[in-house]
Amino acid sequence: NAGVTQTPKFRVLKTGQSMTLLCAQDMNHEYMYWYRQDPGMGLRLIHYSVGEGTTAKGEVPDGYNVSRLKKQNFLLGLESAAPSQTSVYFCASSYGRNTDTQYFGPGTRLTVL
Amino acid sequence: QQQVKQSPQSLIVQKGGISIINCAYENTAFDYFPWYQQFPGKGPALLIAIRPDVSEKKEGRFTISFNKSAKQFSLHIMDSQPGDSATYFCAARIYGQNFVFGPGTRLSVLP
């Protein structure tokens, strides 16, 4: 049981480049989330999904897109990366929205030059 | 107000001492208050949580104190150990909505 995994662990992009971050969970959770973590800002929700084929905007969705084609996977895309998107990105999952515990992945450190 | 304030930003404690981290909120609709622990290079993990119908919850060396009237809650780490050195986040949630996280406190426990 791997829990929540994220790939890649590190990535450096140039401004304007695109990339996709992959999150996978093997706990059969319905809900999945993408957060970004910046110094002094805590965790801010980018997008989330309440089930396969659904996505919704969080607190800071601009510049990002997501897809949930399979229940176990949640993809975060950056179409045209900007230096302001330099951050550590965490994926999380939970059984339901009102389930108390969210399980986090190990994070992806993204630098946009 | 969907915000959770957290203090201090960083904390240095001697081994064996008590670490105290405080959080405050405005929205009285919050009904669940967890604390997450994050070690360097790792994702946050749930440490302990409380609901507003109790004033204190203890799990081992970790205690949450909750003051509903003051809209504040705090994490106390008794007998702090170097292995407790991590970043701690408080959070809050309204039933049916997403979590709101505090900015985090970096705790360093000196040996």
Side-chain angles (χ1 to χ4, degrees), chain A residues 36-97:
Chain A
R36 60 178 289 173
Q37 183 178 44
D38 302 292
M41 302 289 287
L43 291 157
R44 292 183 293 169
L45 184 64
I46 304 171
H47 286 281
Y48 64 99
S49 168
V50 304
E52 182 178 319
T54 73
T55 63
K57 294 180 180 179
E59 179 186 356
V60 289
D62 294 342
Y64 305 95
N65 56 78
V66 289
S67 63
R68 182 102 181 265
L69 298 180
K70 294 183 179 180
K71 184 177 183 178
Q72 63 268 33
N73 295 336
F74 195 28
L75 278 63
L76 178 70
L78 286 72
E79 290 187 350
S80 179
S84 61
Q85 295 177 304
T86 294
S87 187
V88 181
Y89 292 87
F90 288 99
C91 176
S93 71
S94 65
Y95 184 75
R97 176 180 282 171

Side-chain angles (χ1 to χ4, degrees), chain B residues 41-57:
Chain B
K42 305 292 184 183
L46 180 64
L47 179 65
I48 187 172
I50 198 167
R51 299 189 189 277
D53 53 345
V54 296
S55 60
E56 185 176 281
K57 183 174 181 180

Side-chain angles (χ1 to χ4, degrees), chain A residues 5-63:
Chain A
T5 58
Q6 292 182 232
T7 53
K9 287 185 169 52
F10 303 94
R11 186 71 186 269
V12 178
L13 291 178
K14 293 181 179 179
T15 298
Q17 287 185 319
S18 63
M19 78 162 296
T20 300
L21 282 66
L22 172 63
C23 175
Q25 53 94 5
D26 61 2
M27 297 175 282
N28 201 35
H29 285 168
E30 291 293 334
Y31 282 67
M32 296 188 74
Y33 312 82
W34 276 107
Y35 292 92
R36 60 178 289 173
Q37 183 178 44
D38 302 292
M41 302 289 287
L43 291 157
R44 292 183 293 169
L45 184 64
I46 304 171
H47 286 281
Y48 64 99
S49 168
V50 304
E52 182 178 319
T54 73
T55 63
K57 294 180 180 179
E59 179 186 356
V60 289
D62 294 342

Side-chain angles (χ1 to χ4, degrees), chain A residues 31 33 35 37-38 40-45 48 57-58 90 97-107, chain B residues 9 32 34 36 38 41-46 51 87 89 93-104:
Chain A
Y31 282 67
Y33 312 82
Y35 292 92
Q37 183 178 44
D38 302 292
M41 302 289 287
L43 291 157
R44 292 183 293 169
L45 184 64
Y48 64 99
K57 294 180 180 179
F90 288 99
R97 176 180 282 171
N98 295 318
T99 302
D100 295 340
T101 304
Q102 289 192 357
Y103 296 86
F104 284 83
Chain B
Q9 192 173 17
Y32 179 67
Y36 279 80
Q38 183 182 25
K42 305 292 184 183
L46 180 64
R51 299 189 189 277
T87 299
F89 295 95
R93 183 203 64 194
I94 299 172
Y95 187 83
Q97 298 187 23
N98 295 310
F99 283 93
V100 177
F101 289 84

